[in-house]
Amino acid sequence: MTITSYAQNFEDVILWRALGHIKNGTYIDVGAQHPVVDSVSKAFYERGWRGVHVEPVPSYAALLRQDRPDETVLQLALSDRPGVLDLNVIAGTGLSTGVKAYASTHSSEHGFVTEVVKVPMLPMSTALASLNGQQVHWLKIDVEGFEEQVLLGWDSKVLRPWIIVIEATVPLSAELNYAKADRLLIDAGYKFAYFDGLNRFYTASEHMELAHKLQLPPNVFDSAELSGTASSVWCRGLIGRHQQALKTLREEVTASRVRISDLDVQFRRAVSGEEQSRALAVALAQQAAQAEARAAQAGTQAEARIMQAEARVAQAETRAALAETQLEIARQYSEAVLSSTSWRITAPLRLAGNFARRLRSVVRDGRLISGLKRRIRAFLHAVVNASARHPTLRLVAIRGVALVPTLERRLRAIVAGSSSAAPTTDKDKDQEVHVRLGRLSPDASVLFRQLTRRQERSEGT
């Protein structure tokens, strides 16, 4: 099974060679530092292992909690007694230490800036009491020169990791510094198994079967690959290439984002244009539907008006036909009456009867004398008019009238009245007749006219 190595000196590869057959094992990482960079536990965590991290530097403790939410992170320092430790923190490195001399060397020889942070301090037996009696498969101690104090606070009888890995050199040098820690481990029943140039590996006496797997350096048969995140020198080239590739990739991503942004703008414009076109099409469709509805309504109203007009025309035609029929009946009746023998025979009787009725009316109303006067006056008017038209007759009339003074005065009065009064003309009579006819219905008026003409022709004959 291939694993990815995150540790700075392949500690995880060697431990995995010895313990990779165990599923869901348990570890303790003292001085855990970063959850990924130079991490010994990351490869195990990726394969289901879980454990406890002891990290006093606040920034690294926070990163561990963020990256490993399902593990225990103790933000404190381990020592041989409880108390408060002045921790010399060198930010961004794994060099923070509780040894003042090492901190001064880092500052003077390497230019590191240190900051003293007070952190709680407990013995391992107290801080890790929850693990007493449980199977712990490996313990790593990397505390920058504080390893002896950590081991002095450990109760090896109740907490016995199968394998212990402990830093064995002076920080930032190849100078060995493991004698005191080695004595404490040997006294606790552990056997030295391997030195990798930085760390010493020990096996519990009860698990000596693992010792032979710890005696070889990492090699091609370990099926391990580099993560590229370690701080060791041989990872720098890999990290440099990785960073260059990452830079190129980021530039490509930036260019792609710009392109995507441009395309998004174009897309939004296209969508906006399409939406506007759709809105315009919808508005036009609505207007067309409204126009069609109005046209249909107008057509319906026009058809209704046409039907009403046709009905009125039909009624008018019916009335006209009826009137024409009635007129024809009246005309035929009038012709039949006027052309009958009895009508012609009784004509003198009708005239006599009319004269008798008029005479009775005149006598009854006392209009006989006035009627005679009107007749005489009319006769004199006729004489005057005739004399006016014929000079010879006028001369004779003047000489005759002069013989009778009374008649002469009467005629002069008539002539004077005629000149002042407007004569009654045929036009006036026609207007009077029209007024009278206007009081009759159309059919009665037509019938009256026909009867009048027929009577006039009869009287004329």
Side-chain angles (χ1 to χ4, degrees), residues 276-391:
Q276 292 177 358
S277 299
R278 288 179 179 176
L280 179 60
V282 171
L284 291 176
Q286 292 176 349
Q287 293 177 1
Q290 293 174 358
E292 184 177 357
R294 289 195 295 270
Q297 183 179 5
T300 302
Q301 294 176 353
E303 290 179 358
R305 288 196 292 271
I306 290 172
M307 293 178 63
Q308 292 175 358
E310 289 178 350
R312 289 196 294 270
V313 169
Q315 293 175 359
E317 289 178 351
T318 301
R319 289 197 298 269
L322 179 60
E324 186 177 356
T325 301
Q326 293 175 350
L327 182 59
E328 180 64 22
I329 292 173
R331 185 185 62 78
Q332 292 177 3
Y333 178 76
S334 299
E335 289 180 354
V337 171
L338 294 176
S339 62
S340 64
T341 304
S342 60
W343 180 266
R344 291 196 300 272
I345 293 174
T346 59
L349 295 177
R350 290 197 299 276
L351 292 174
N354 289 335
F355 177 75
R357 285 193 298 274
R358 290 178 182 175
L359 181 59
R360 286 196 301 270
S361 176
V362 168
V363 173
R364 184 176 61 249
D365 297 337
R367 293 184 286 115
L368 179 60
I369 301 301
S370 61
L372 290 176
K373 289 181 179 181
R374 285 197 302 275
R375 297 295 188 278
I376 294 172
R377 191 182 299 112
F379 172 74
L380 292 177
H381 275 291
V383 171
V384 171
N385 292 333
S387 299
R389 290 193 298 273
H390 301 284

Side-chain angles (χ1 to χ4, degrees), residues 9 11 14 166-170 173-176 194-201:
N9 201 37
E11 295 93 336
I14 297 174
I166 187 168
E167 192 172 37
T169 65
V170 174
S173 75
E175 181 183 352
L176 296 177
Y194 178 68
F195 175 60
D196 64 3
L198 177 64
N199 305 285
R200 289 172 67 86
F201 289 74

